[in-house]
Amino acid sequence: MPRLAANLSMMFHEWPFLERFKAAKEAGFTAVEYLFPYEHPAEAMGAALQDNDLTQALFNLPPGDWAAGERGLATQPARRDEFRTGVATALRYAAATGVKRLHVMSGHGASDDKAARAAYADALRFACDQAGPAGIEILIEPINGRDMPGYFMNDFDLAVDLITELGLPNLKLQFDIYHRQIIRGDVLTGLKTLLPLIAHVQIASVPARAEPGSGELDDIRVLQELDALGYTGFVGCEYRPAAGTLAGLAWREKL
């Protein structure tokens, strides 16, 4: 059975954010993830987890100005100091929540831009170095260009190349089944081939990004195959419920 983590940025919108932890617990989840915790004090995030006996599976480093369209700072040499400040902020929240995996959004840039790649590599080295003593893994995630045009980390080969090139023990792959299907397809082969690099998995239906099992993939079979491969990490439910969070949770009964 996969270790499902409710994504509180996309699910449980029927509740204010800090009340979503309790709602997720009452709906049967034992873990949560979300995009960003930074609008709330670190202590409040830790208390919400502790009060509801939940594990924090993942969140992202600060992305820059999200409302203005920024999707990470790591590929921008001129924002190096701001990125490093963001690492310190994320680690402070990690200490409060006990999370062991942080996702570094790359930011925008052409995948063949050598300066962007060099800045990204430098940012990942720094993040891994800072996170390592706390036992925290740094993750990179290929995101499809349809949902996020111009995003630098837009392909699985690029992710594998960077992880291999840098050779950092706590630099891992975040494998989003939704993005994989749009970028490359061949989801089961990808999971099997890349499993040694994978530290976190996410799922949503394709193309609507709704509940698993409601789109073109047999998501239930994919999750069962993931179990069969011996994956023991979390599977983040990063989907937008089609007709209310609680009404859309029946898919879990098929696992």
Side-chain angles (χ1 to χ4, degrees), residues 175 180 185-195 229:
F175 190 109
R180 172 71 186 200
D186 206 16
V187 171
L188 293 179
T189 298
L191 285 170
K192 182 177 181 179
T193 302
L194 300 176
L195 190 66
L229 288 172

Side-chain angles (χ1 to χ4, degrees), residues 19-181:
E19 295 178 19
R20 294 176 195 174
F21 293 82
K22 182 179 180 182
K25 178 66 174 181
E26 291 178 346
F29 288 96
T30 59
V32 297
E33 63 175 31
Y34 37 73
L35 294 180
F36 311 108
Y38 310 111
E39 291 185 1
H40 303 278
E43 296 75 17
M45 303 301 285
L49 292 163
Q50 185 173 2
D51 291 348
N52 294 288
D53 194 24
L54 290 167
T55 299
Q56 183 71 50
L58 178 80
F59 58 80
N60 299 335
L61 264 67
D65 190 341
W66 185 266
E70 292 185 337
R71 295 295 183 264
L73 306 174
T75 54
Q76 302 177 43
R79 309 284 291 276
R80 181 172 180 259
D81 290 344
E82 188 177 347
F83 173 83
R84 293 188 169 197
T85 297
V87 171
T89 298
L91 290 176
R92 180 165 56 84
Y93 276 81
T97 61
V99 72
K100 293 302 180 184
R101 293 166 191 84
L102 297 172
H103 172 220
V104 174
M105 299 192 75
S106 69
H108 293 103
S111 57
D112 59 354
D113 184 331
K114 293 182 179 179
R117 181 176 176 130
Y120 190 27
D122 177 73
L124 292 174
R125 288 190 193 96
F126 179 82
C128 286
D129 179 70
Q130 296 297 302
I136 293 172
E137 294 176 323
I138 296 297
L139 276 54
I140 57 176
E141 176 193 19
I143 296 177
N144 79 81
R146 186 169 75 198
D147 283 13
M148 203 171 286
Y151 191 71
F152 180 85
M153 176 46 65
N154 61 5
D155 184 73
F156 283 80
D157 287 345
L158 176 58
V160 172
D161 286 349
L162 271 167
I163 292 171
T164 303
E165 171 190 319
L166 294 174
L168 300 167
N170 61 330
L171 180 60
K172 300 293 183 178
L173 178 66
Q174 185 169 319
F175 190 109
D176 188 303
I177 291 165
Y178 167 82
H179 291 304
R180 172 71 186 200
Q181 174 68 359

Side-chain angles (χ1 to χ4, degrees), residues 1-4 223 227 231-233 235 251-255:
M1 175 75 175
R3 299 167 68 197
L4 300 177
L223 291 177
D227 262 355
Y231 175 73
T232 59
V235 175
W251 66 272
R252 298 179 303 173
E253 298 170 6
K254 301 176 182 179
L255 292 172

